[in-house]
């Protein structure tokens, strides 16, 4: 079973912000909306594009792909608009003190 790894601190991620980190050659996007932090694959499921270069709406918890405009729910990974139809992977997040820990397989 995968263990939690520190990928950032809460100070690295302002409220309403997002950023990408790399772990074991994999790009992971981190999103902060209020008191919640979410982690997903950073790569769109439709075509190679980095979601962290798109638009994050913290009010509805969605990120829009910068390439073709597909929107994904960062809480579930579910695509909300075409052309993407496959979900993106989401990862479990824990915050311990100032550390953002993510369970990455």
């Amino acid at each position: 079973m995968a263990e939690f790894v520190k990928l950032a601190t809460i100070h690295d991620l302002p409220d309403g912000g997002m950023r990408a980190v790399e772990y074991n050659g994999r790009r992971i996007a981190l999103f902060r909306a209020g008191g919640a932090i979410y982690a997903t694959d950073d790569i769109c499921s439709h075509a190679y594009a980095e979601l962290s270069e798109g638009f994050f709406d913290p009010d509805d918890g969605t990120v829009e792909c910068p390439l073709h405009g597909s929107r994904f729910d960062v809480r579930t990974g579910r695509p909300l608009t075409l052309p993407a139809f496959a979900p993106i992977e989401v990862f479990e997040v824990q915050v311990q003190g100032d550390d953002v820990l993510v369970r990455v397989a």
Side-chain angles (χ1 to χ4, degrees):
M1 177 176 246
E3 294 188 20
F4 283 93
V5 293
K6 178 182 173 183
L7 296 184
T9 70
I10 58 172
H11 306 293
D12 297 329
L13 201 58
D15 191 20
M18 66 178 166
R19 69 175 291 176
V21 296
E22 193 164 315
Y23 179 75
N24 278 347
R26 183 177 199 171
R27 289 186 59 85
I28 297 170
L30 301 173
F31 306 90
R32 185 172 178 188
I37 297 179
Y38 305 97
T40 71
D41 268 334
D42 190 36
I43 307 305
C44 180
S45 63
H46 167 252
Y48 188 92
E50 296 171 354
L51 295 174
S52 60
E53 297 296 320
F55 174 74
F56 173 53
D57 185 340
D59 293 328
D60 68 3
T62 62
V63 63
E64 183 177 304
C65 175
L67 188 59
H68 293 115
S70 290
R71 286 181 38 246
F72 296 88
D73 186 319
V74 300
R75 298 162 294 207
T76 65
R78 192 175 116 233
L80 303 173
T81 60
L82 294 174
F85 59 88
I88 55 173
E89 188 170 358
V90 296
F91 304 99
E92 188 178 352
V93 176
Q94 290 183 352
V95 176
Q96 292 183 354
D98 289 344
D99 295 337
V100 176
L101 308 173
V102 179
R103 186 187 304 259
V104 183

